[in-house]
Amino acid sequence: MRQSVTVKEVKSNGNAVIEMQRMSACGHSCEGCEGCGAPNVILSVEASNKMGAQKGDRVIVESSNKTIYKAAFVVYLLPLILFFGFYALGDYLLKAGAVAGIIGFFAGIGLAILFNRRFAKKGGASFDIVAIEGKF
């Protein structure tokens, strides 16, 4: 994911503090939308500054898609996979597929919550400044 942002501060370690808008899955193409209700949240994050950007520069930041895909899998797909897996196993072994499926679904939700806590403890997504706008 790439986004154009402004550098708010350069830290002593060389990293830049940037403020960016949290993007929704649709990419915030709001002019063609009737309203998804995605909150307009501004995040203040630290980005690797190998380009040497200074305070006030407009820069392009990039984050790894791998992290986003992993989080999407855990949050959206894992509960469904566990629901159907537990349903099939519960139906085969106990003839109680629905109950087992619900247990599997909530186990997936629990794993998603644990993943989110671990992800947040590690500092969340990492961002890199890949270009300074207007400088080539």
Side-chain angles (χ1 to χ4, degrees):
M1 176 187 80
R2 285 182 168 223
Q3 192 172 356
S4 178
V5 299
T6 301
V7 175
K8 296 296 178 185
E9 170 188 351
V10 177
K11 295 191 141 206
S12 61
N13 63 3
N15 288 345
V17 175
I18 57 172
E19 285 187 349
M20 60 190 305
Q21 182 175 357
R22 174 178 282 165
M23 298 295 281
S24 66
C26 67
H28 273 335
S29 56
C30 298
E31 65 277 354
C33 183
E34 295 195 22
C36 62
N40 189 12
V41 177
I42 303 296
L43 302 173
S44 180
V45 296
E46 193 170 318
S48 171
N49 186 13
K50 294 178 183 170
M51 301 296 294
Q54 299 299 316
K55 181 178 180 179
D57 285 349
R58 288 290 295 174
V59 297
I60 305 293
V61 292
E62 183 175 75
S63 65
S64 169
N65 286 339
K66 179 181 173 184
T67 305
I68 294 168
Y69 293 145
K70 185 177 178 181
F73 173 80
V74 170
V75 170
Y76 295 114
L77 293 178
L78 187 61
L80 289 176
I81 291 169
L82 290 179
F83 171 79
F84 288 115
F86 275 54
Y87 182 91
L89 190 61
D91 192 47
Y92 178 74
L93 295 177
L94 307 169
K95 302 296 182 223
V99 172
I102 291 169
I103 292 169
F105 179 77
F106 283 109
I109 297 293
L111 289 173
I113 291 169
L114 290 174
F115 173 82
N116 184 51
R117 287 182 182 163
R118 186 172 174 213
F119 183 69
K121 191 179 278 189
K122 285 185 174 181
S126 62
F127 296 93
D128 298 312
I129 295 175
V130 295
I132 301 173
E133 292 183 359
K135 293 182 181 179
F136 300 102

